[in-house]
Amino acid sequence: MRAAPLHVVFGAGQVGPRLARRLAEAGRAVRLVRRGPHAGDLPGIEPVRADATDPAAVADAVRGASVVYHCMNPSTYSAAAWARELPRLQENLVAAAGRARARLVVLDNLYAIGRTFGHPMDEDSPSHPCSRKGEIRARLREALLAAARRGDVRVAIGRASDFYGPGGVGTYFADRFWKPALAGRRVAFPANPDTPHTYHFIPDVAAGLAALGEDDGAEGTFMLPCLPAATSRAIAARLATALGRPIALSRVPPIAMRLAGLFVPLLREVAEMSYQWEEPFVVDDARFRARYGDLAAPAEEAARATCAWALATWGAAAHRAA
């Protein structure tokens, strides 16, 4: 009997472990690679500790792989960290996957597209970045596509907008949202909550990447599965319904964000991306759906799962603060 194809997942943040579990549950041989120690049991998954900035370590981790998944990001959300770390990570994975004759499935965001002027984004949307982080992502994307054109590696790119859902600790619907919401206080939202915006449910991102990895013919760019765009206020209302109590939302004034950014670097980095909430920021995933079917979880199911995670993560602290 032939061994199951090996799927190697790099990244143990919001998406990587969920993707690894999904692949393992489907009967695939899975290796999950992260820089730090692995926490807890990983049934059916081989845990590997490796620094992806080290080409030799990446080559060792990829050995024997049929598919390699790139789900890594620097721990610091800043253009400086991205410019310093992301090119090296991508170069190492491209080289190692190419030598192993493995397909490379890359999780990408939409920063490179820049302003949309309200037009839906799809696989053919051009890169016109209007932010420092968007410029970095555009350069990475072009280098990746150039490597594929040269035949260095076969590549499938799955693109997603802002995340929400279980495990989404670095999202707009994380502690700064849930701690006041669970304590019955008004949530100060750092962007315009009343413009349509596509949010990607984290389990849907994992499902989409798994579909690309399982499909040997998947190459090029795909918008990952998502629900129709909704305002952030509407998302909060869904979460409130699942929670069984109201969630009041107000916008942090843009000038307050700019002033706070003078002293808090993270807020400065967040404010740079606020253009995505100043006009409809809408993903069209029709091409993905036509190929793989409807993998996006229903809105009510996504809201219930997100609330359950938030209660387990911040519920006790919020109760004490109420």
Side-chain angles (χ1 to χ4, degrees):
M1 180 182 297
R2 294 182 61 185
L6 175 61
H7 294 242
V8 179
V9 179
F10 281 81
Q14 299 175 99
V15 175
R18 188 172 294 274
L19 170 60
R21 288 195 297 271
R22 186 179 184 95
L23 292 167
E25 289 167 359
R28 307 297 174 246
V30 181
R31 183 180 294 157
L32 178 60
V33 184
R34 65 175 299 169
R35 178 181 295 181
H38 289 263
D41 294 332
L42 300 167
I45 299 170
E46 177 191 357
V48 171
R49 187 173 180 180
D51 183 352
T53 64
D54 179 351
V58 173
D60 285 342
V62 164
R63 188 168 290 114
S66 296
V67 187
V68 176
Y69 301 83
H70 179 2
C71 303
M72 294 180 290
N73 251 333
S75 58
T76 303
Y77 183 73
S78 77
W82 284 22
R84 183 174 61 250
E85 298 180 38
L86 285 176
R88 186 186 303 177
L89 296 176
Q90 179 171 290
E91 289 163 8
N92 288 347
L93 263 67
V94 165
R99 283 194 298 268
R101 299 185 180 277
R103 280 193 312 118
L104 179 60
V105 177
V106 177
L107 175 58
D108 191 15
N109 63 28
L110 304 174
Y111 289 10
I113 294 175
R115 295 187 181 276
T116 69
F117 303 101
H119 298 297
M121 294 169 284
D122 62 18
E123 289 78 0
D124 299 320
S125 296
S127 293
H128 291 299
C130 60
S131 65
R132 295 168 301 157
K133 291 186 286 293
E135 291 168 356
I136 294 164
R137 284 290 184 179
R139 290 195 296 270
L140 288 166
R141 175 175 168 78
E142 180 49 41
L144 189 60
L145 294 174
R149 288 193 297 268
R150 290 193 303 268
D152 296 347
V153 67
R154 296 172 60 203
V155 174
I157 302 170
R159 305 185 86 176
S161 185
D162 295 271
F163 294 163
Y164 78 105
V169 294
T171 73
Y172 280 81
F173 294 94
D175 58 333
R176 293 177 185 271
F177 176 91
W178 282 111
K179 286 180 178 179
L182 292 174
R185 301 195 304 272
R186 180 174 294 273
V187 175
F189 201 75
N192 188 342
D194 295 311
T195 51
H197 190 93
T198 293
Y199 286 94
H200 271 82
F201 185 51
I202 293 171
D204 295 345
V205 174
L209 293 174
L212 295 178
E214 296 273 30
D215 179 4
D216 191 59
E219 296 187 40
T221 299
F222 296 85
M223 291 295 185
L224 292 173
C226 56
L227 292 174
T231 67
S232 304
R233 197 180 300 278
I235 298 288
R238 288 180 196 164
L239 296 170
T241 298
L243 189 64
R245 69 182 84 162
I247 297 176
L249 207 65
S250 63
R251 183 183 184 181
V252 177
I255 190 170
M257 285 290 292
R258 288 195 293 272
L259 290 173
L262 296 175
F263 307 99
V264 183
L266 175 61
L267 294 181
R268 185 164 59 248
E269 299 289 345
V270 170
E272 180 188 43
M273 310 312 299
S274 64
Y275 72 89
Q276 296 181 338
W277 282 265
E278 300 304 330
E279 59 191 17
F281 197 77
V282 178
V283 170
D284 178 358
D285 67 344
R287 191 175 301 179
F288 184 97
R289 290 173 182 264
R291 188 175 182 115
Y292 301 107
D294 185 0
L295 299 185
E300 295 76 15
E301 177 185 320
R304 287 193 299 270
T306 304
C307 285
W309 163 73
L311 284 165
T313 305
W314 295 294
H319 178 74
R320 291 194 296 270

